[in-house]
Amino acid sequence: MITANLADALNKQMNNEFDAAQAYLAMAAYCENENYGGFANFYLQQVEEERFHAMKIYNYLNDRGIHAKITAISEPKIEFDSILHTFEYALEQEKSVTKNFYDLTDLAWQEKEHATISFLQWFLDEQVEEEATFDTHIEYLKRINEDKNALFVYEKELGQRVFTPEN
């Protein structure tokens, strides 16, 4: 049975995911403003992914008979120094999300809430992928550095990204 403490923590993480979506939307807007449509598309797909994560928690809460409580969204960072900076900022955000899921999983273990532990495993696996993705993009952008042709090709590649939800 999910305790009030664990329910509150799950609700908080659901809202953190909505906050992350808002942060990625702000990064997309920055990229669009800088005329980097491919990078903007990458972040718009990330928005959809974060909303999917939030709704996964929302549905879990409802399936367990717990009120999913939607809270206000934080104002995201809207100014960045460069495209590289958006990816570095995003990686730090993902590391914070990973820590949140670790803490949430620790709480589920403390409360011996096995169904929630099983549910959270998907997110832990997902966070490994999220951090690796941003780390890879950062390394690519550092390698590209000021090579405008390589940046153009890389941006076009990211412009093809489409989010496909997994179960």
Side-chain angles (χ1 to χ4, degrees):
M1 182 165 161
I2 295 179
T3 65
N5 192 32
L6 184 55
D8 288 345
L10 286 162
N11 267 301
K12 182 177 180 185
Q13 188 56 40
M14 174 189 65
N15 284 289
N16 286 343
E17 296 294 325
F18 283 125
D19 274 349
Q22 190 79 346
Y24 285 126
L25 186 57
M27 290 177 208
Y30 167 81
C31 293
E32 284 287 356
N33 189 61
E34 297 295 315
N35 295 311
Y36 287 113
F39 290 112
N41 176 70
F42 172 85
Y43 283 119
L44 290 173
Q45 300 310 305
Q46 197 65 30
V47 168
E48 295 307 313
E49 188 170 334
E50 298 305 325
R51 287 180 181 159
F52 174 76
H53 296 168
M55 292 306 297
K56 197 169 181 79
I57 299 169
Y58 171 91
N59 290 327
Y60 181 75
L61 289 166
N62 284 307
D63 288 348
R64 298 299 304 269
I66 297 166
H67 183 192
K69 299 174 185 172
I70 309 302
T71 60
I73 293 176
S74 304
E75 183 176 337
K77 179 177 179 61
I78 60 171
E79 297 296 331
F80 299 91
D81 298 331
S82 64
I83 296 298
L84 174 60
H85 185 215
T86 66
F87 281 91
E88 291 169 337
Y89 188 81
L91 177 59
E92 291 309 309
Q93 177 175 288
E94 290 299 337
K95 286 179 178 180
S96 177
V97 170
T98 299
K99 183 186 179 321
N100 291 343
F101 276 113
Y102 285 172
D103 292 346
L104 194 50
T105 303
D106 288 347
L107 179 58
W109 274 105
Q110 287 170 5
E111 297 191 4
K112 296 183 173 137
E113 218 310 296
H114 298 281
T116 301
I117 293 164
S118 176
F119 171 72
L120 292 172
Q121 186 60 53
W122 183 90
F123 289 96
L124 295 174
D125 295 341
E126 176 70 8
Q127 283 309 118
V128 171
E129 179 186 318
E130 292 287 330
E131 287 187 30
T133 295
F134 281 100
D135 190 50
T136 298
H137 289 306
I138 289 166
E139 291 307 311
Y140 285 171
L141 287 167
K142 285 179 178 177
R143 255 184 254 149
I144 288 170
N145 196 10
E146 296 296 320
D147 184 336
K148 303 285 186 210
N149 291 327
L151 185 62
F152 176 80
V153 170
Y154 193 53
E155 178 194 7
K156 293 302 174 199
E157 180 182 316
L158 292 183
Q160 303 302 312
R161 180 181 184 216
V162 176
F163 171 66
T164 306
E166 299 174 18
N167 290 327

